Amino acid sequence: MPVLIAKIALSAATFAIDKPYDYLIPAELAELSPGVRVIVPFGAGNRRTEGIVLAVETAENLDKRLKSILACLDEEPVLTDEGIRTALWMRERWFCTVYDAVRAMLPAGLYYALQDCYRLADGIEKEAALEAAGRSKYERQVVELVSVRQSGLEAAQIREAFGTKDPGPALRSLLGKGVLALETSAARGVGDKTEKLISLAIPPEEALAQVTPKRKTAPLRYAVVELLAGIGEAAVKEVCYFTGAANATIRSLEKSGLVTITEQEVFRRAGPDHVEPAGPVKLNREQDAAFQGLNAMAEAGTAAVALLYGVTGSGKTQVYLRLIEETLKRGKTALTLVPEIALTPQLMAIYTAHFGDEVAVLHSSLRAGERYDEWKRIRTGKAQVVIGTRSAVFAPLERLGLVILDEEQEGSYKSENVPRYHARDVAKYRAQRNGALLVLGSATPSVETMYHARQGDYRLFTLARRYNERELPAVFLADMKEELQAGNTSPLSLPLRQALEENLKRGEQSILFLNRRGASRMVTCVHCGQVPSCPRCSAYLTYHSANHRLMCHYCGHSEPMPDSCPDCGGALEFVGAGTQRVEETLKELFPDVEVMRMDADTVTASQSHEKLLARFREERIPILVGTQMVAKGLDFENVTLVGVISADQGLYLDDYRAGERTFSLITQVVGRAGRGSKAGRAIIQTFTPENDVITAAARQDYDHFYEQEIGLRKVRNCPPFSSFFVITVSGAEEGQTLRVCAMLRDTLLGWLGAEPYRGFSCQVLGPAPAAITKVNNRYRYRLTLMAENIRLFRALVAHLVRCAQADRKNRGVSITADIDPMN
């Protein structure tokens, strides 16, 4: 007799054992379909775990070894066929499990928490259970615990009662003897929000006729019926608000058969409360040429990639709006990604003004309920346009016609957690599957993207002038060596201070950029040179003046700032500067001027990006100091001065992207000035004003920077000429970690000498310590493989990682792989 079998990806499966597992579909779940999550038993102990159905097949004969699905968690699929294909593709591309990919694609509100509960089996009394437990001390202890409560006891409560002893063997033994029964419940993080609706159950004339005779003695009943006779249906809370009626009045009318109460799902919205509709988008000649070319590619209905390369303030957003308008007219949907949460409120207001309620927003700062409801609006087709940060690339849009990656060069599009995907690659994959157009927009495109554009892999469209025909900001370099020689140890140079004073007199606003939070980079003893370090990481502690503590930005360790050197008792001196130090310096220089600081320490749930930026705009706060969250995408008409406090900060790191990052950040933040009718200017503070990257950024000369950089990349065989595969080994013992890393190198070199890899070009570097070798008491060593990013080599690396993870000698050691990491 034919039976139904589901192929399921399990949350409990590690990368080493990840594969589709076969489970029998019981008769009561015969309608099960792919994309639905289920609870299944897994492993020798039949531990309950969550899984997602990838496919359903029919088999002619029943395999007695197969286990059955226990329960279904979803009424309808949470992933479409495209979503399942994307998860399988991500597994092969970024060395993660299928369920890791699924978890990244779904909003947190859809996650389930599974809870195991043990109780005495039906028909088993306590005495019989104790007899079955025999002399086993731990089995008897379990029986005593479970029999106290008829409904049973949660697994966590049993573990707590056992202390350091593992109750697992006793529980499995009692389950096998039939003494205990195991029940698993699933609770979802966020529920659906509903509201009660009220409407007349009979014709309005009849309802009014019944309540009119008692109008004076029951005025509220009459008021409710009269209101409903005029408007038809309304929310119960609104009817109560407008009439003054209480819930008792509503229940009385329902009992009398005059009204009907129903429930309707409502969505928790995350967008602006009210936005005035905008007029049609007007493009200048250069923008229109770019739009026409891009729109022709989108109309073709075949997958394509284009780079929209435009200077800061050139009006790329207006081009995006026109492309989205045309996409919607064709009956398709559009997705726009931005690199920072801080950019979503401004863009959301613009998009809402043009597309109204069809716009949804997705990012990690939304409340769980808001994000879940926005996801549902997208899934049900109520939202056709989506704005969001990196994870919004998985928005469940049907008929996808356009994907826009704004500021495509930003490293924040690359996830540092499993799965370590890059949103640009996922967007390209989705565009390919849907026959959509992917537009990569930037004033400073990544070297890889510009290389592909100049090679002809992508179409290139250029916006060379600002939208309002204003000139780019005038840029001045302040040599900090000269400032030190003149006795200025402040983080602000004399030219920047003078420019700030002039701006304050004119009532114009300024933005100061420094990509380091805290007050000082580190603290050092002037006598012995000792620098306070984190006890759990190989990193110096950063001083935070707001709480007078030294903090580690890697593991979160915090300790009070000592009065003197703990080693020799000498005086402590601050070295370097962070945003807090700059803020304090500004308040000393301009005591009557309000200064706003925006970094990871000031952005909280109550003080969101949106609120801080709205205050800066509306209250015209004179000076804003911030990290890279103020460097890009922001558009403030009254900002005419930008100061880059330490342009060299990230330039001389041991990272092939250091020059690119520095050029991009400086260019982007300089572009925040002079975006309105007033001329803008920028001052870049640097110790190396002759550096090619600094001078190119000061001239806003991307083409010169690119020519220099692509030459270096080719000589060093860095992306785009090859890819970096990085295998990271971390463990509590440094010796073991290094040995495992060396073993991986030797194994890989052996494999590369055999078929089918013989002759494959691969350079193996390492083992080498990570830039920060120890983080949170775990040592990290790396192998770096320079090779072409093709399926054959990815399969080799994946096999190496699986073998290493499955090797018992590597217990306690974590082994992961990544492609082209940002750090």
Side-chain angles (χ1 to χ4, degrees):
M1 181 179 175
V3 292
L4 290 175
I5 294 174
K7 292 194 173 293
I8 298 175
L10 303 179
S11 64
T14 62
F15 182 66
I17 60 171
D18 185 46
K19 65 176 185 178
Y21 287 84
D22 289 349
Y23 282 87
L24 290 175
I25 301 176
E28 61 271 21
L29 297 177
E31 300 300 318
L32 200 67
S33 58
V36 167
R37 291 171 299 170
V38 292
I39 298 176
V40 296
F42 182 63
N46 286 328
R47 178 163 59 98
R48 271 54 171 165
T49 188
E50 189 179 315
I52 189 162
V53 178
L54 302 177
V56 175
E57 298 177 351
T58 302
E60 289 301 322
N61 299 308
L62 174 62
D63 187 339
K64 298 293 185 184
R65 296 170 299 173
L66 290 184
K67 301 172 184 178
S68 290
I69 296 171
L70 300 175
C72 179
L73 295 174
D74 301 307
E75 293 180 4
E76 57 184 29
V78 293
L79 282 188
T80 60
D81 288 344
E82 183 193 338
I84 293 172
R85 288 178 181 273
T86 303
L88 293 169
W89 172 77
M90 288 176 67
R91 174 183 181 271
E92 184 272 331
R93 187 71 173 70
W94 284 294
F95 314 112
C96 64
T97 69
V98 174
Y99 214 85
D100 286 334
V102 169
R103 197 175 283 112
M105 296 166 73
L106 299 178
L110 270 177
Y111 295 172
Y112 277 94
L114 300 187
Q115 183 61 60
D116 288 341
C117 184
Y118 294 88
R119 61 173 177 81
L120 291 178
D122 294 338
I124 300 292
E125 300 294 333
K126 179 181 177 182
E127 291 74 18
L130 288 170
E131 185 178 341
R135 295 183 178 180
S136 171
K137 170 186 172 183
Y138 299 114
E139 288 185 29
R140 295 180 72 86
Q141 186 180 351
V142 168
V143 171
E144 291 287 353
L145 288 167
V146 171
S147 59
V148 171
R149 192 181 300 171
Q150 190 173 0
S151 60
L153 212 59
E154 292 178 0
Q157 294 171 305
I158 296 173
R159 284 195 296 271
E160 186 179 345
F162 266 63
T164 57
K165 181 66 180 177
D166 180 18
L171 289 168
R172 287 192 291 271
S173 175
L174 291 170
L175 283 169
K177 293 174 182 178
V179 173
L180 292 185
L182 171 60
E183 295 176 348
T184 302
S185 61
R188 201 171 72 195
V190 175
D192 297 324
K193 185 179 180 182
T194 60
E195 70 175 0
K196 291 183 177 180
L197 297 179
I198 182 172
S199 59
L200 292 176
I202 58 177
E205 299 80 9
E206 293 181 26
L208 284 169
Q210 288 192 37
V211 296
T212 300
K214 296 182 179 179
R215 182 176 180 178
K216 291 185 178 180
T217 57
L220 293 178
R221 283 169 60 91
Y222 177 83
V224 170
V225 172
E226 183 184 37
L227 179 64
L228 292 176
I231 64 174
E233 185 181 65
V236 169
K237 62 181 181 181
E238 292 177 354
V239 170
C240 291
Y241 175 78
F242 285 110
T243 63
N247 284 326
T249 304
I250 303 298
R251 286 195 297 270
S252 168
L253 288 167
E254 184 182 26
K255 192 173 180 181
S256 303
L258 293 174
V259 300
T260 301
I261 307 295
T262 57
E263 282 202 355
Q264 174 181 281
E265 184 179 4
V266 293
F267 295 114
R268 289 157 281 212
R269 292 302 311 276
D273 294 332
H274 178 69
V275 176
E276 290 293 327
V281 179
K282 294 181 180 178
L283 304 181
N284 61 26
R285 183 179 302 174
E286 198 175 46
Q287 288 173 315
D288 190 61
F291 162 70
Q292 295 296 343
L294 289 165
N295 193 47
M297 294 176 71
E299 279 182 325
T302 56
V305 184
L307 169 61
L308 181 59
Y309 164 43
V311 298
T312 55
S314 57
K316 292 184 288 293
T317 302
Q318 284 97 327
V319 177
Y320 299 160
L321 291 170
R322 285 289 290 116
L323 285 171
I324 294 170
E325 282 179 7
E326 295 303 313
T327 300
L328 295 179
K329 287 178 184 177
R330 289 192 287 269
K332 295 191 174 183
T333 58
L335 168 65
T336 300
L337 300 182
V338 293
E340 295 277 352
I341 294 173
L343 302 180
T344 55
Q346 181 175 284
L347 197 60
M348 183 69 180
I350 295 170
Y351 274 38
T352 303
H354 285 87
F355 309 114
D357 287 340
E358 290 194 58
V359 182
V361 61
L362 291 174
H363 58 72
S364 59
S365 284
L366 298 179
R367 296 185 183 91
E370 290 174 337
R371 193 169 186 179
Y372 172 50
D373 283 359
E374 290 289 82
W375 181 87
K376 284 194 296 182
R377 288 181 62 238
I378 300 164
R379 181 66 190 274
T380 56
K382 290 182 170 63
Q384 304 287 308
V385 180
V386 175
I387 299 170
T389 49
R390 180 179 64 222
S391 60
V393 74
F394 302 113
L397 286 164
E398 299 286 344
R399 307 179 314 282
L400 187 62
L402 176 68
V403 184
I404 297 167
L405 228 74
D406 196 27
E407 309 293 356
E408 66 83 30
Q409 80 286 351
E410 285 302 320
S412 54
Y413 283 126
K414 169 77 172 173
S415 171
E416 294 182 359
N417 301 313
V418 177
R420 295 178 174 85
Y421 67 92
H422 198 299
R424 181 175 55 217
D425 294 328
V426 179
K428 196 182 299 183
Y429 175 82
R430 292 197 67 186
Q432 182 68 40
R433 298 289 307 177
N434 288 273
L437 171 65
L438 170 61
V439 177
L440 306 173
S442 179
T444 55
S446 67
V447 172
E448 295 92 327
T449 296
M450 181 56 80
Y451 176 78
H452 287 300
R454 294 195 176 185
Q455 289 293 108
D457 303 327
Y458 305 160
R459 285 280 302 278
L460 175 61
F461 298 91
T462 304
L463 302 177
R465 297 189 60 80
R466 283 193 156 185
Y467 172 70
N468 55 8
E469 297 299 322
R470 300 291 302 185
E471 292 297 321
L472 289 166
V475 181
F476 305 93
L477 296 178
D479 190 340
M480 296 306 286
K481 296 193 299 292
E482 295 178 359
E483 293 291 316
L484 284 177
Q485 290 164 6
N488 179 16
T489 58
S490 161
L492 303 181
S493 63
L494 182 60
L496 182 54
R497 272 187 279 177
Q498 292 173 340
L500 285 167
E501 288 172 0
E502 292 169 9
N503 248 32
L504 290 171
K505 288 176 184 175
R506 290 197 294 263
E508 296 169 359
Q509 293 171 284
S510 308
I511 292 178
L512 302 186
F513 164 71
L514 174 61
N515 207 21
R516 183 180 296 280
R517 61 191 175 101
S520 293
R521 186 173 66 206
M522 62 184 187
V523 176
T524 184
C525 175
V526 297
H527 295 292
C528 69
Q530 185 65 27
V531 178
S533 301
C534 176
R536 299 199 291 257
C537 306
S538 53
Y540 296 130
L541 296 175
T542 300
Y543 174 63
H544 285 245
S545 58
N547 55 7
H548 303 290
R549 297 182 73 85
L550 296 170
M551 299 179 70
C552 175
H553 290 173
Y554 293 93
C555 72
H557 170 79
S558 171
E559 60 186 56
M561 171 70 184
D563 296 326
S564 58
C565 176
D567 286 4
C568 72
L572 294 172
E573 185 177 80
F574 299 113
V575 179
T579 49
Q580 286 184 16
R581 169 84 188 282
V582 173
E583 180 187 26
E584 290 163 5
T585 302
L586 289 166
K587 288 179 177 178
E588 290 169 6
L589 289 171
F590 311 111
D592 299 325
V593 174
E594 185 174 0
V595 178
M596 175 184 285
R597 176 164 57 90
M598 191 169 172
D599 55 29
D601 296 319
T602 60
V603 175
T604 61
S606 58
Q607 282 286 97
S608 64
H609 303 84
E610 189 171 0
K611 289 181 180 177
L612 288 170
L613 293 173
R615 274 197 64 220
F616 181 68
R617 180 193 299 277
E618 293 161 11
E619 299 178 22
R620 297 211 163 196
I621 293 171
I623 304 173
L624 171 64
V625 180
T627 53
Q628 65 179 18
M629 57 181 70
V630 305
K632 30 189 184 293
L634 303 180
D635 192 346
F636 300 108
E637 186 175 325
N638 198 42
V639 172
T640 57
L641 173 66
V642 162
V644 180
I645 302 300
S646 180
D648 315 294
Q649 187 170 270
L651 187 54
Y652 300 105
L653 300 176
D654 185 19
D655 183 344
Y656 75 94
R657 287 195 184 93
E660 181 180 10
R661 283 201 191 104
T662 300
F663 177 86
S664 178
L665 275 171
I666 293 175
T667 304
Q668 292 287 341
V669 73
V670 164
R672 299 313 105 206
R675 297 176 74 91
S677 57
K678 303 170 186 175
R681 55 185 170 152
I683 294 174
I684 301 173
Q685 299 185 167
T686 173
F687 284 94
T688 55
E690 69 285 351
N691 184 285
D692 269 353
V693 174
I694 301 292
T695 56
R699 298 194 308 269
Q700 305 274 287
D701 189 353
Y702 175 84
D703 292 334
H704 174 78
F705 165 77
Y706 172 79
E707 293 300 334
Q708 294 284 103
E709 187 69 13
I710 199 68
L712 288 172
R713 296 277 184 99
K714 190 169 186 178
V715 169
R716 298 174 65 185
N717 197 30
C718 292
F721 299 101
S722 70
S723 285
F724 286 166
F725 290 74
V726 177
I727 300 174
T728 302
V729 180
S730 70
E733 296 180 13
E734 186 172 15
Q736 182 193 20
T737 304
L738 182 55
R739 279 195 301 274
V740 171
C741 204
M743 179 271 293
L744 291 175
R745 176 201 58 199
D746 295 342
T747 302
L748 182 65
L749 289 173
W751 289 355
L752 287 170
E755 295 295 342
Y757 308 104
R758 187 179 289 119
F760 185 81
S761 177
C762 175
Q763 187 177 357
V764 181
L765 306 175
I772 306 296
T773 307
K774 188 172 74 168
V775 173
N776 211 7
N777 288 327
R778 290 185 68 86
Y779 294 90
R780 305 184 301 164
Y781 279 82
R782 289 177 168 173
L783 282 180
T784 301
L785 320 175
M786 300 172 68
E788 187 180 356
N789 185 1
I790 58 174
R791 183 187 290 268
L792 177 70
F793 194 69
R794 290 198 299 269
L796 175 69
V797 174
H799 184 57
L800 179 69
V801 172
R802 287 194 192 97
C803 291
Q805 288 180 348
D807 192 337
R808 291 177 178 271
K809 291 184 292 187
N810 298 335
R811 280 188 176 177
V813 174
S814 169
I815 300 139
T816 59
D818 193 10
I819 301 177
D820 293 332
M822 287 296 164
N823 297 307

